[in-house]
Amino acid sequence: MSAIYHISLRPTRRDDVAAIIAMLADDHLGRARERLEQPLPTLYYDAFERVTSDQNIHLMVAEEGGKVAGCVQLCILPGLSSQGASRGLIEDVCVACDRRSRGIGEKLVQWALEEARGKGCKLVELLTHHTRVDAQRFYERLGFSRSHVGMTIRF
Amino acid sequence: MSAIYHISLRPTRRDDVAAIIAMLADDHLGRARERLEQPLPTLYYDAFERVTSDQNIHLMVAEEGGKVAGCVQLCILPGLSSQGASRGLIEDVCVACDRRSRGIGEKLVQWALEEARGKGCKLVELLTHHTRVDAQRFYERLGFSRSHVGMTIRF
């Protein structure tokens, strides 16, 4: 697929932030959570600074034809358990609605898995909303198992 | 309960690591994952250094009568989604087998929730193994909901 569509991955830049928020907001769960205004609220840029200043957090975008088509965030989490192996946590996997089914999500998640493995992780984990049945099938196809219950609390 | 048992929380020190690994290993899932040897393998101390050098990771222990009786790890994760609000991730909640049902786990998780809220998180998440039905009930009692599927991949 990549041979046809020329998908490339790179670290996120500050001028990608609006495109990422547009993707996150174009979703039945994301719509209510984001503020897709012009100009984009500065709180998103403040968050971008926090992300880039944390060396254990990696926010990547997929580009297709010079446009941001997807993103993934990988967090490398040190910890004592499992013989002190760091864990990888995948968050905010997102592909633009008009660019689905081209392997972009798979490329992003495979990148995260390789990066996590290279950083010494023995485990990569993620939470996916119980209504996202397609996402669960997608992750199972990539080798993930539904081993855990994902629990959340909102303030 | 705390009035009777005098439970106090404090950040983990290097000389707590062996007690924490002993707690993690004293569990049907943890047993196969840890190396409870004397002296403790240095990889645990290397991991402790990684944990303490990451200012977004907070590893707390509960002490009862001068002994480590439980622990929790809270990760504060910056991100773009949800209007740039950081997320809290709770990992490695553990209470010593002989000190259960005294409110130690609840104190540790409540600490993590308050800390996350204080750090600007709007959401705290965790994964709990699907077989840990008691843990799921415990988290529901503290206000968590079973909103997500927790998926993992091991290398």
Side-chain angles (χ1 to χ4, degrees), chain A residues 81-82, chain B residues 17-36 44 68-69 71 93-100 132:
Chain A
S81 66
S82 296
Chain B
V17 173
I20 291 173
I21 303 308
M23 286 192 301
L24 291 169
D26 193 9
D27 173 89
H28 73 287
L29 290 171
R31 195 162 296 135
R33 289 187 198 147
E34 307 305 339
R35 283 174 56 197
L36 193 57
Y44 287 113
V68 169
C71 67
V93 177
C94 191
V95 175
C97 284
D98 58 347
R99 286 156 189 266
R100 301 240 162 111
R132 296 200 194 272

Side-chain angles (χ1 to χ4, degrees), chain B residues 6-154:
Chain B
H6 306 292
I7 300 156
S8 58
L9 306 191
R10 61 168 173 77
T12 302
R13 299 185 307 244
R14 191 180 163 87
D15 62 3
D16 298 321
V17 173
I20 291 173
I21 303 308
M23 286 192 301
L24 291 169
D26 193 9
D27 173 89
H28 73 287
L29 290 171
R31 195 162 296 135
R33 289 187 198 147
E34 307 305 339
R35 283 174 56 197
L36 193 57
E37 301 161 14
Q38 274 192 312
L40 199 67
T42 54
L43 44 77
Y44 287 113
Y45 293 102
D46 297 342
F48 179 72
E49 295 305 321
R50 286 193 293 274
V51 167
T52 50
S53 67
D54 186 330
Q55 61 179 7
N56 280 333
I57 297 195
H58 307 276
L59 182 58
M60 292 291 279
V61 291
E63 235 182 24
E64 193 194 33
K67 288 191 70 173
V68 169
C71 67
V72 67
Q73 182 167 315
L74 171 69
C75 310
I76 304 291
L77 305 171
L80 296 184
S81 66
S82 295
Q83 300 185 31
S86 294
R87 249 169 276 195
L89 174 74
I90 291 177
E91 300 258 18
D92 289 343
V93 177
C94 191
V95 175
C97 284
D98 58 347
R99 286 156 189 266
R100 301 240 162 111
S101 308
R102 303 182 185 192
I104 295 173
E106 182 169 340
K107 264 193 187 266
L108 286 162
V109 174
Q110 293 288 16
W111 171 85
L113 292 174
E114 281 163 38
E115 182 74 10
R117 195 196 293 252
K119 293 267 195 287
C121 296
K122 290 184 188 164
L123 175 86
V124 173
E125 59 194 13
L126 59 86
L127 290 90
T128 173
H129 196 266
H130 69 90
T131 60
R132 296 200 194 272
V133 180
D134 288 352
Q136 289 149 33
R137 269 197 293 262
F138 164 74
Y139 290 119
E140 282 182 317
R141 191 163 57 75
L142 297 184
F144 284 84
S145 64
R146 301 163 60 101
S147 53
H148 287 65
V149 177
M151 304 190 75
T152 56
I153 188 168
R154 283 185 184 274

Side-chain angles (χ1 to χ4, degrees), chain A residues 19-31:
Chain A
I20 291 173
I21 303 309
M23 286 192 301
L24 291 169
D26 193 9
D27 172 90
H28 73 285
L29 291 171
R31 195 162 296 135

